[in-house]
């Protein structure tokens, strides 16, 4: 018998509720009651969160809700055959067969492969028919075990769908497909399409070749079901189709020769495709992964139509995911694509800031803040073996400071280069870095880097759009696009935009240097407010980038950039710390899962990881986000007005030895934490959150009393 499912995890012909949330709650309760989950709230929250991303109902009256959760102790399957169908998001009506898959966060590959194989079995009509006709929980378990290859009996073999007749049936899957499905790799094309023996008379699509990629956020169910849906449809249409499943059960890339021979590409994905640039130049269709289950034939027909259309969109590369997001629901707008590109640039920039800032801070610790003024002189006249007038501490401090300053000097070019990369893939990197260097040269700072990166990326993107002869196309990404995009972006900065931006940055620097009293208090409050607004999102990143980008201009005399950095760090620590405190002192306002999240939030907050508060904000944004914004504003205002400073751009309490005026820095963090906790508890009390938590607890207890078997 499989370890995944037992008769205790099967419910036959019971009314488990009128909506999918209630049904999922009953099935999750079974997982917890059989000792396979530590607590129900966390598992249920994760399952509902996954369901809210994409409905898991599929054609044929089937639903397959699933999730990964830290609350799950071992991989588990729960099966319910409902007495009355429940709407689950499928186009053909409600679902009466429900499989709930609960996987631990760190499930091993063997179990993940079995879970994926079960998902694929649900695409087979004979398997589903066997589930509907089963008379007992033990028979359900046996059918599932046989489908997973664990049963050892032959009486339920039809559930595998190995029918010799019905070559066009979804159950008539070549053995090779099932064999490869267990490792999550690239599923080979149906036998008829591969051999060509039957394909010659298969219809107008004979000889056509398509490659596909399927992927979903969890990587357990929809990834593999979409792969099979596309494979079955291709077999019926006489199309040679091979699928790469980028799921949890493994990831084997399609052969480059297979990609090169393909007429078109299908992306049935809800997440970014790994190494997307492999498909560059191919016409494509891109849709959510569920469409590969619901409308596989339509997707294949669209791909074939694009293959014959010289004006069809072509894959531009891995980082160009935004321009390839045409789904059945519409295209991603330019505003979203630009925002994502800027976030890409910031994420790649941060390591330069972290390495450079920490090296500078270590140089200050060893040789004092004055090393910034004499480092070049020391390194120009001294060596490790001939120190001259310098001491060992001064020389080491100068080395560390210089390494850090050079790394910080790459901040703006890296920001611009990877913004351009986010818009145009690799052809955008060189123009972006060049524009960033021009921004540095002109004194336009990080704002000039953002403008230059966007100009370079947009230029490189549009230059890549025209279809060109092969001899010219091969020169575009390595010669022509970098040349023309660099001329456009760097030239525009030098001739037109760089001067005004540099003037604005000079005014901003002068204003920051003159901050005192009320102006410092206001700036600290604004930065703190931004740090608590979206907990690691774009607003938070704008404030952080503003602070980190200014560190390179800090000197022993001009400490304003370091004071801003300290205020941002203090404010960013507050949200998770405040929610951790609130979940401890106001337990009745928080679910068990939130209380568990609060334990982890202590360490995350202490380490300046604002994202530690996201689980709380996701569950109750209208109360949590105002609280984190108020607490962050208080912390930022106290830190900046008190003159606390940080030469390092990250680290939280772990860089406390580097912090200037550490007592006021800690006071800012503590007061901000207390304010956040007090505000969120007050808002939850006024809003009656304790009542909802109590209702959820009673619902869980009621669910435990509901019989689950006939």
């Amino acid at each position: 018998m499989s370890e995944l499912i037992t008769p205790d995890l099967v419910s036959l012909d019971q009314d488990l509720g009128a909506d999918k949330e209630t049904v999922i709650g009953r099935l999750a309760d079974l997982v917890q009651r059989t000792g396979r989950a530590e607590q129900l709230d966390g598992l249920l929250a994760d399952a509902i969160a996954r369901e809210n991303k994409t409905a898991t109902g599929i054609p044929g009256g089937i639903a397959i809700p699933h999730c990964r959760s830290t609350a799950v102790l071992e991989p588990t399957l729960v099966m319910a055959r409902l007495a009355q169908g429940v709407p689950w998001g499928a186009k053909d009506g409600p679902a009466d067969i429900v499989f709930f898959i609960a996987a631990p966060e760190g499930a091993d590959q063997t179990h993940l492969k079995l879970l994926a194989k079960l998902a694929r079995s649900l695409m087979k009509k004979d398997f589903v028919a066997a589930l509907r006709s089963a008379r007992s929980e033990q028979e359900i378990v046996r059918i599932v075990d046989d489908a997973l290859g664990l049963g050892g009996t032959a009486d339920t073999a039809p559930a595998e769908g190995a029918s010799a007749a019905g070559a066009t049936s979804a159950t008539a899957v070549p053995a090779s497909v099932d064999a490869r499905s267990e490792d999550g790799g690239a599923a080979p094309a149906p036998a008829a399409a591969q051999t060509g023996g039957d394909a010659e008379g298969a219809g107008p699509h004979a000889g056509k070749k398509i490659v596909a990629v399927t992927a979903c956020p969890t990587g357990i169910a929809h990834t593999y079901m979409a792969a099979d849906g596309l494979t079955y449809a291709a077999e019926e249409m006489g199309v040679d189709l091979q699928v790469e499943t980028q799921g949890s059960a493994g990831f084997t890339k399609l052969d480059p020769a297979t990609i090169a021979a393909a007429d078109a590409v299908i992306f049935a994905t809800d997440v970014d495709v790994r190494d997307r640039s492999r498909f560059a130049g191919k016409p494509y269709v891109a849709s959510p992964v569920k469409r590969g289950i619901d409308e596989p034939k339509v997707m294949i027909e669209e791909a074939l139509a694009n293959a014959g259309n010289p004006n069809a969109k072509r894959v531009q590369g891995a980082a160009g995911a935004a321009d390839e997001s045409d789904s059945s629901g519409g295209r991603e707008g330019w505003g979203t694509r630009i925002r994502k590109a800027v976030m890409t640039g910031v994420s790649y920039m941060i390591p330069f800031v972290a390495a450079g800032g920490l090296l500078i801070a270590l140089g200050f610790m060893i040789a004092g803040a004055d090393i910034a003024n004499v480092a070049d002189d020391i390194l120009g006249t001294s060596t490790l073996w001939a120190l001259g007038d310098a001491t060992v501490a001064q020389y080491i401090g100068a080395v560390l400071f210089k390494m850090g300053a050079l790394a910080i000097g790459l901040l703006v070019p890296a920001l611009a280069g990877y913004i351009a990369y986010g818009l145009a893939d690799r052809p955008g990197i060189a123009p972006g870095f060049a524009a960033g260097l021009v921004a540095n040269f002109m004194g336009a700072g990080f704002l000039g880097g953002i403008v230059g990166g966007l100009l370079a990326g947009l230029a490189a993107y549009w230059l890549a759009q025209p279809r060109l002869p092969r001899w010219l196309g091969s020169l575009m990404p390595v010669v022509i696009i970098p040349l023309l995009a660099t001329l456009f972006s760097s030239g525009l900065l030098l001739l037109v935009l760089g001067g005004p931006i540099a003037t604005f940055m000079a005014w901003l620097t002068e204003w920051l240097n003159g901050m005192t009293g009320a102006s410092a208090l206001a700036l600290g409050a604004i930065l703190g407010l931004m740090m608590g607004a979206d907990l690691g999102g774009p607003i938070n990143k704008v404030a952080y980038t503003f602070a980190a980008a200014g560190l390179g201009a800090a000197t022993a005399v001009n400490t304003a950039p370091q004071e801003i950095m300290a205020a941002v760090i203090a404010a960013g620590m507050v949200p998770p710390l405040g929610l951790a405190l609130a979940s401890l002192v106001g337990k009745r306002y928080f679910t068990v899962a939130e209380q568990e999240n609060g334990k982890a939030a202590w360490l995350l907050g202490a380490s300046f990881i604002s994202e530690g508060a996201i689980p709380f904000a996701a569950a109750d944004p209208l109360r949590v986000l105002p609280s984190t914004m108020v607490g962050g504003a208080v912390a930022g205002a106290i830190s900046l007005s008190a003159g606390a400073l940080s030469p390092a751009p990250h680290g939280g309490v772990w860089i406390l030895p580097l912090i200037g005026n550490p007592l006021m820095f800690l006071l800012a963090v503590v007061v901000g934490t207390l304010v956040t906790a007090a505000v969120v508890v007050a808002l939850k009390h006024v809003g009656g959150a304790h009542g909802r938590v109590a209702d959820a607890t009673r619902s869980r207890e009621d669910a435990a009393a509901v019989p689950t078997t006939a």
Side-chain angles (χ1 to χ4, degrees):
M1 180 178 291
S2 165
E3 299 176 356
L4 296 173
I5 186 169
T6 64
D8 292 339
L9 294 168
V10 178
S11 172
L12 295 182
D13 307 318
Q14 294 291 316
D15 183 357
L16 300 184
D19 55 69
K20 61 182 181 179
E21 290 79 10
T22 304
V23 175
I24 292 174
R26 298 293 174 85
L27 301 183
D29 182 69
L30 268 183
V31 178
Q32 194 267 339
R33 288 171 55 193
T34 52
R36 292 169 176 255
E38 290 182 317
Q39 41 86 15
L40 178 60
D41 287 337
L43 172 57
L44 183 56
D46 290 334
I48 295 298
R50 170 62 190 88
E51 189 69 30
N52 288 338
K53 290 180 180 178
T54 307
T56 56
I58 61 174
I62 302 167
I64 185 167
H66 55 278
C67 70
R68 288 172 179 249
S69 176
T70 55
V72 178
L73 300 175
E74 58 181 297
T76 301
L77 293 176
V78 185
M79 185 269 183
R81 189 173 68 200
L82 303 177
Q84 183 174 357
V86 171
W88 221 287
K91 293 183 178 180
D92 63 343
D96 63 325
I97 297 291
V98 182
F99 268 96
F100 177 45
I101 300 177
E105 192 63 45
D108 61 80
Q109 288 297 303
T110 300
H111 282 106
L112 288 174
K113 290 173 184 176
L114 291 174
L115 295 173
K117 191 170 184 180
L118 171 76
R120 307 187 88 141
S121 296
L122 286 167
M123 300 297 291
K124 302 175 182 179
K125 296 177 182 178
D126 288 352
F127 176 69
V128 176
L131 295 174
R132 286 202 166 97
S133 63
R135 298 183 178 180
S136 67
E137 294 81 5
Q138 290 77 9
E139 188 176 354
I140 291 289
V141 172
R142 187 172 67 252
I143 292 170
V144 172
D145 282 348
D146 287 343
L148 299 178
L150 303 174
T153 60
D155 57 332
T156 56
E160 279 294 296
S163 170
T168 62
S169 167
T171 60
V173 184
S176 61
V177 175
D178 276 344
R180 290 294 301 276
S181 74
E182 293 183 19
D183 64 14
Q194 285 183 338
T195 63
D198 297 328
E200 289 182 348
H205 305 312
K208 295 293 185 181
K209 296 182 178 181
I210 295 177
V211 291
V213 177
T214 61
C216 68
T218 308
I220 295 175
H222 284 67
T223 298
Y224 304 98
M225 298 171 79
D228 281 352
L230 291 166
T231 300
Y232 299 144
E235 183 185 22
E236 293 181 4
M237 300 169 68
V239 175
D240 181 341
L241 181 140
Q242 297 197 39
V243 186
E244 177 178 295
T245 51
Q246 297 186 358
S248 299
F251 171 37
T252 302
K253 291 183 178 180
L254 286 162
D255 190 299
T258 301
I259 298 174
D263 296 297
V265 185
I266 292 174
F267 296 123
T269 63
D270 287 334
V271 294
D272 290 340
V273 175
R274 304 176 210 177
D275 200 3
R276 191 168 192 149
S277 59
R278 293 173 292 150
F279 306 95
K282 296 289 181 183
Y284 70 92
V285 173
S287 288
V289 66
K290 196 168 183 291
R291 193 171 180 231
I293 303 171
D294 295 342
E295 301 177 343
K297 288 185 179 180
V298 176
M299 290 196 74
I300 293 173
E301 289 170 353
E302 291 175 359
L304 292 172
N306 285 349
N309 179 6
N311 297 318
K313 285 185 64 66
R314 307 267 164 167
V315 178
Q316 296 298 318
D323 68 312
E324 294 151 7
S325 59
D326 304 47
S327 68
S328 57
R331 294 183 55 189
E332 196 170 54
W334 272 105
T336 300
R337 293 158 72 175
I338 289 174
R339 177 182 62 79
K340 286 185 175 180
V342 173
M343 294 297 290
T344 298
V346 171
S347 66
Y348 279 104
M349 176 204 75
I350 287 175
F352 291 90
V353 179
L358 289 171
L359 286 169
I360 290 174
L362 289 173
F364 287 164
M365 285 184 65
I366 293 173
D370 190 55
I371 197 65
N373 302 319
V374 298
D376 287 348
D377 293 336
I378 292 175
L379 293 176
T381 58
S382 303
T383 67
L384 186 61
W385 319 114
L387 294 173
D389 295 334
T391 65
V392 173
Q394 286 177 322
Y395 184 76
I396 297 299
V399 168
L400 292 171
F401 173 82
K402 193 61 180 178
M403 288 192 296
L406 290 172
I408 285 285
L410 287 173
L411 183 154
V412 173
L415 175 65
Y418 286 107
I419 287 174
Y421 170 77
L423 287 171
D425 197 22
R426 283 177 291 182
I429 292 180
F433 267 86
L437 289 169
V438 169
N440 265 355
F441 169 74
M442 300 194 70
F446 80 96
L447 186 58
I450 292 174
V451 173
L454 291 174
L455 290 173
L458 291 170
Y461 173 82
W462 288 114
L463 286 168
Q465 296 308 301
R467 293 194 63 196
L468 300 170
R470 184 179 296 274
W471 65 269
L472 181 58
S474 61
L475 294 175
M476 290 294 288
V478 294
V479 178
I480 298 175
I481 292 177
L483 172 62
L484 296 180
T486 300
L487 279 172
F488 174 75
S489 56
S490 296
L492 202 54
L493 276 178
L494 276 167
L495 298 175
V496 180
L497 299 176
I501 296 174
T503 300
F504 171 76
M505 292 299 293
W507 170 83
L508 183 63
T509 301
E510 183 179 354
W511 176 69
L512 293 176
N513 290 340
M515 285 187 316
T516 56
S519 61
L521 193 73
L523 179 62
I526 292 171
L527 291 172
L529 199 73
M530 295 173 69
M531 290 299 294
D534 56 359
L535 309 176
I539 299 174
N540 174 287
K541 286 295 187 291
V542 166
Y544 177 78
T545 303
F546 171 74
L551 276 182
T555 65
V557 177
N558 174 26
T559 61
Q562 295 177 348
E563 294 174 14
I564 291 172
M565 191 74 254
V568 165
I569 293 175
M573 293 169 63
V574 161
L577 291 175
L579 271 300
L581 178 61
S583 66
L584 180 66
V585 300
K587 289 185 177 181
R588 67 178 184 142
Y589 300 104
F590 296 88
T591 65
V592 174
E594 289 174 325
Q595 293 174 35
E596 291 298 316
N597 288 331
K599 297 176 182 177
W602 287 111
L603 179 60
L604 295 173
S607 302
F608 182 42
I609 301 176
S610 303
E611 289 84 348
I614 287 178
F616 300 94
D620 192 4
L622 295 180
R623 296 181 181 86
V624 170
L625 291 180
S627 307
T628 58
M629 291 168 69
V630 172
V634 170
I638 293 175
S639 176
L640 199 57
S641 61
L645 56 88
S646 172
H650 213 293
V653 297
W654 314 114
I655 59 167
L656 201 57
L658 307 177
I659 296 290
N661 201 351
L663 291 180
M664 290 306 298
F665 175 83
L666 286 176
L667 178 64
V669 173
V670 170
V671 173
T673 298
L674 292 172
V675 169
T676 297
V679 173
V680 74
V681 169
L683 290 177
K684 283 181 175 289
H685 177 76
V686 172
H690 57 292
R692 279 187 288 277
V693 172
D695 290 342
T697 303
R698 284 193 295 271
S699 296
R700 185 173 69 250
E701 294 170 350
D702 293 342
V706 174
T708 56
T709 58

